[in-house]
């Protein structure tokens, strides 16, 4: 039933029925958590062979003793395996520690303290702003907020950020030094940046030290048979005449072990030289034993794709279940809309304006932990209080079914309450 076509009396009856259902939900004593996109234990089990690698053979191809210092760029053979997955040539790729988030943090701090390639002074010498596609990734926003970087929201569309808005902003304001972007199966909407949008972002007039953080966290995390080919973003940047504009990032964090993977950073030669200069102050080199472990586990690019197909077998039924419940419980009411991602780790739900906070609170009281309302916006301020990020990956199917049915009840109850308040 379309709630918007119902009379106040009918809405009161619906609300009362939902309250009964909600009270039963609370009595169930649930303790369910769908707040973050963590791999499930079954997904982590797929990589358990890593626990026995590399064994007694600690030398990489070429003879490098991985137990010792050095090699700030990481193992070349591993970069040759993962470079094609991120659309970056191995010579323009650095393999680091376990977290690409750490690299993004370092890049930002290095820019603040030392200035980026092409700039005349450190970013911190004046006002600094970053463009933030919304809804977006809360940990990107946390880095910016931690260092006092002003965040400017820009709309995220199905083909990527709104290019016209971005171009207008950076053309008139040279204090805009960065832009956060998850280009493939973005967090949380699942949108993928098209070649056309990428070229426009790379060509627009901006400060010489403006950087796009191309955080390709879900480059191979597909739920469909034909995933998009990775854009060769550094080559596109060079063709656009701005070879230093892109910081390309990725990791194995949701490919192997979330807390013990390998992160990658791709950039122009000038950017890499700059990065190595500052990185060498904080480290003599990455954990090459872990890199060797991953190289033995993934001898070539095809082996990564085969491994991700096994992830898909676990994840796809969970995403399908969530979408089925959303369709069944919420479609006819017209009080919510949601993304239908073809990959990544999230489903983005837009509930009735002004009800996201109430929906999350109702769910929490019923024992269902959701990502906080506003988390997908800078400063945790969703101007319309509408977006909620769902993370289906971690729970089992039975728990996920209960959680999503409860979420639907909370969404409908919050909507009826809001509509009745507006009518009163």
């Amino acid at each position: 039933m379309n709630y918007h076509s119902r009379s106040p009396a009918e809405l009161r009856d619906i609300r009362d029925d939902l309250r009964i259902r909600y009270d039963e939900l609370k009595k169930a004593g649930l303790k369910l958590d769908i707040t973050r996109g963590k791999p499930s234990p079954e997904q982590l089990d797929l990589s358990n062979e890593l626990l026995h690698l590399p064994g007694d053979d600690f030398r990489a191809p070429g003879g490098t003793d991985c137990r010792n210092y050095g090699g700030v760029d990481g193992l070349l053979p591993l970069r040759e395996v993962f470079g094609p997955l991120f659309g970056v040539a191995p010579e323009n790729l650095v393999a680091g520690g376990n977290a690409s988030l750490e690299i993004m943090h370092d890049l930002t701090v290095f820019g603040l303290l030392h200035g980026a390639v092409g700039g005349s002074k450190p970013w911190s010498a004046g006002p600094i702003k970053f463009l933030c596609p919304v809804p977006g990734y809360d940990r990107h926003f946390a880095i910016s907020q931690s260092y006092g970087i002003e965040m400017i929201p820009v709309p995220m569309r199905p083909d990527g950020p709104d290019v016209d808005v971005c171009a207008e902003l950076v053309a008139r304001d040279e204090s805009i030094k960065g832009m956060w972007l998850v280009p493939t199966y973005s967090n949380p909407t699942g949108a993928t940046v098209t070649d056309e949008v990428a070229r426009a972002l790379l060509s627009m007039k901006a400060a010489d030290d403006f950087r796009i953080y191309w955080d390709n966290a879900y480059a191979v995390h597909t739920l469909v048979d034909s995933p998009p080919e990775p854009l060769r973003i550094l080559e596109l940047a060079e063709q656009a005449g701005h070879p230093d504009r892109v910081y390309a990032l990725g990791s194995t964090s949701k490919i192997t072990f979330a807390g013990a993977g390998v992160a990658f950073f791709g950039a122009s030669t000038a950017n890499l030289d700059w990065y190595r200069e500052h990185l060498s102050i904080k480290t003599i080199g990455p954990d090459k034993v872990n890199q060797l472990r991953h190289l033995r586990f993934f001898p070539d690019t095809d082996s990564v794709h085969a491994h991700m197909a096994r992830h898909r077998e676990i994840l796809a039924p969970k995403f399908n279940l969530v979408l089925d419940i959303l369709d069944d419980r919420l479609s006819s009411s017209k009080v919510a809309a949601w993304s239908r991602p073809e990959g990544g780790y999230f489903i983005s739900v837009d509930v009735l304006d002004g009800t996201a906070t109430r929906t999350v609170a109702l769910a929490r009281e019923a024992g269902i932990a959701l990502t906080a309302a506003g988390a997908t916006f800078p400063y945790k301020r969703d101007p319309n209080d509408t977006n909620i990020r769902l993370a289906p990956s971690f729970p089992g199917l039975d728990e996920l079914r209960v959680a999503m049915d409860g979420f639907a009840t909370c969404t409908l109850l919050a909507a009826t309450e809001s509509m009745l308040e507006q009518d009163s």
Side-chain angles (χ1 to χ4, degrees), residues 295-365:
L295 179 60
R296 298 271 170 80
F297 192 65
F298 294 127
D300 52 39
T301 301
D302 287 343
S303 64
V304 181
H305 286 300
H307 184 76
M308 295 311 296
R310 292 189 283 273
H311 275 275
R312 176 186 168 189
E313 290 174 359
I314 297 171
L315 281 174
K318 295 182 179 183
F319 276 76
N320 291 337
L321 174 65
V322 171
L323 293 173
D324 285 346
I325 292 174
L326 292 174
D327 288 342
D328 181 58
R329 294 288 318 277
L330 298 181
S331 284
S332 62
S333 65
K334 307 301 182 186
V335 297
W338 48 92
S339 61
R340 295 183 177 276
E342 295 187 346
Y345 262 62
F346 304 100
I347 293 173
S348 178
V349 179
D350 286 334
V351 296
L352 194 69
D353 282 6
T355 66
T357 299
R358 175 61 173 160
T359 299
V360 171
L362 286 169
R364 182 176 61 251
E365 292 172 20

Side-chain angles (χ1 to χ4, degrees), residues 13-31:
D13 288 342
I14 294 170
R15 179 201 58 193
D16 292 344
D17 287 341
L18 286 166
R19 283 178 173 173
I20 294 171
R21 188 164 183 164
Y22 178 69
D23 287 341
E24 292 172 350
L25 190 66
K26 288 200 295 184
K27 291 176 184 177
L30 301 176
K31 291 184 178 180

Side-chain angles (χ1 to χ4, degrees), residues 51 81 96 107 120 157 183 202 359 380 423:
L51 299 173
V81 170
L107 291 168
S120 60
R157 303 192 181 283
L202 296 169
T359 299
K380 300 180 180 179
D423 284 336

Side-chain angles (χ1 to χ4, degrees), residues 3 13 16 28-29 48 50 60 98 110 118 132 135 144 149 157 177 187 194 227-228 231 277 304 403:
Y3 282 17
D13 288 342
D16 292 344
N48 278 348
L50 283 171
N98 78 296
F110 294 164
C132 299
S144 296
I149 299 170
R157 303 192 181 283
K177 301 298 186 183
N187 177 352
T194 63
L231 297 178
E277 176 187 355
V304 181

